[in-house]
Amino acid sequence: MAVDLPGGGRRPASFEATQSKRPGRWWAVWAELYSRPASAVGATLVVVFILLALLGPLIAPYGAAQQIPSDARQPPSAEHLFGTDRLGRDVFSRVVLGARDILALAGLGTLLAVLIGATIGLFAAYRGGWLEEGTFRVFDSLLALPALLLALLLLGTLGASRNGVLLVIVVVYTPIVARVVRSVVLDAKSKGFVEAAQIQGESTAHILGREIFPLVLPALAVEAALRFSYAIFLVASLGFLGVGVQPPSPDWGLMVNEARTYAALTPWALYFPAGAIALLVVGVNLAADGLKRAVQG
């Protein structure tokens, strides 16, 4: 059953009930996510890395910068699970402790990009006119540059630091999130129930929050997961290039860069952080793909 709305269009009679049951809906999405083998593997990998980030100091047997010169270049063993690097640092400890850095930077940067991009996309697309045109022309100019090139330009100005990397993630991915939100808002503006709310004199905040945002949320959740995977790779890439987080931080990209020169002597110092990057990115991508299917299904 549906309800006729002023100005045309029909809203399902269950619309309000659906909104009130949103927590149950997302629980169903989570269950659907774990019902697919590939997405279940991806979500499990992400959870494992999050646990490593949270429990890293309790798991790591050595400090991230702790050097044992007598154990330099030791292959994997019971004492050093992932071996040691050329300075005698325990690779397992550095990989485990590095999970916190990469997840914190990528996660916080993605969260800020999603919040800022969603807010700008909602208001600019809903208002339309010069505000929408001007905002998205600026975003188009940012998107014209490859993400890594834009990141290098920004860090060349700001200097290599954690805050610089965080700002880079926000600047690079905010326009993409805003464009995704804009497309949903433009479609929603033509719906009858939005026109009805406007005729009834509802405020902009009410229309955006109660009428449009619930339609944006599924696409926004999927986009956040995708941006998170790209942010992880971007943080690792900047570390590898030496313009991201600086030594002696156990940044995985930085570890790969440091180990590649000595790959013939200590290949484990290269393979384990590189493998951690690959596993985390693959895990997030699989989980994001499963989330997309679950939300759309």
Side-chain angles (χ1 to χ4, degrees):
M1 179 179 178
V3 178
D4 291 322
L5 297 168
R10 295 166 68 81
R11 171 188 290 177
S14 60
F15 182 83
E16 296 297 337
T18 300
Q19 301 307 305
S20 65
K21 294 179 181 179
R22 187 160 298 279
R25 176 191 175 187
W26 287 106
W27 177 257
V29 168
W30 183 258
E32 178 69 15
L33 178 67
Y34 262 90
S35 70
R36 304 173 187 273
S39 58
V41 169
T44 300
L45 283 173
V46 173
V47 170
V48 168
F49 277 107
I50 291 174
L51 289 176
L52 285 179
L54 295 175
L55 304 176
L58 301 177
I59 298 173
Y62 301 93
Q66 184 179 350
Q67 299 181 19
I68 309 175
S70 60
D71 288 348
R73 298 176 180 171
Q74 292 294 313
S77 63
E79 185 177 359
H80 300 287
L81 293 180
F82 291 176
T84 61
D85 63 11
R86 64 186 180 87
L87 299 177
R89 296 174 297 188
D90 184 68
V91 176
F92 173 76
S93 298
R94 287 174 62 77
V95 169
V96 169
L97 295 172
R100 176 175 295 183
D101 275 354
I102 197 165
L103 285 174
L105 280 174
L108 181 57
T110 301
L111 177 62
L112 291 174
V114 168
L115 290 176
I116 297 172
T119 301
I120 294 175
L122 276 169
F123 278 96
Y126 180 74
R127 286 295 186 184
W130 66 266
L131 178 62
E132 178 189 10
E133 186 69 20
T135 299
F136 285 96
R137 292 298 75 78
V138 172
F139 284 169
D140 286 344
S141 66
L142 292 176
L143 292 173
L145 294 173
L148 189 57
L149 177 59
L150 178 58
L152 292 174
L153 290 173
L154 290 173
L155 289 174
T157 303
L158 300 172
S161 66
R162 281 184 171 81
N163 290 338
V165 173
L166 189 65
L167 181 61
V168 161
I169 296 172
V170 174
V171 172
V172 168
Y173 296 126
T174 291
I176 301 175
V177 174
R179 288 181 67 87
V180 170
V181 172
R182 178 199 187 197
S183 66
V184 179
V185 174
L186 292 179
D187 180 66
K189 283 172 65 176
S190 64
K191 303 297 184 182
F193 58 86
V194 173
E195 295 176 1
Q198 293 171 334
I199 293 172
Q200 292 170 2
E202 300 289 358
S203 66
T204 298
H206 174 89
I207 294 173
L208 290 176
R210 297 281 297 178
E211 307 290 346
I212 296 179
F213 186 70
L215 302 177
V216 171
L217 191 56
L220 192 61
V222 174
E223 186 62 24
L226 290 173
R227 289 309 119 204
F228 182 47
S229 70
Y230 282 107
I232 291 169
F233 191 75
L234 180 60
V235 172
S237 298
L238 294 174
F240 177 80
L241 294 173
V243 295
V245 179
Q246 297 298 295
S249 170
D251 178 83
W252 293 345
L254 184 60
M255 290 174 65
V256 171
N257 184 35
E258 292 175 343
R260 67 186 177 89
T261 307
Y262 306 91
L265 298 174
T266 56
W268 49 85
L270 171 65
Y271 295 152
F272 284 113
I277 295 170
L279 278 177
L280 181 54
V281 171
V282 169
V284 175
N285 280 331
L286 288 175
D289 183 63
L291 179 62
K292 180 179 180 180
R293 292 174 182 271
V295 168
Q296 292 178 345

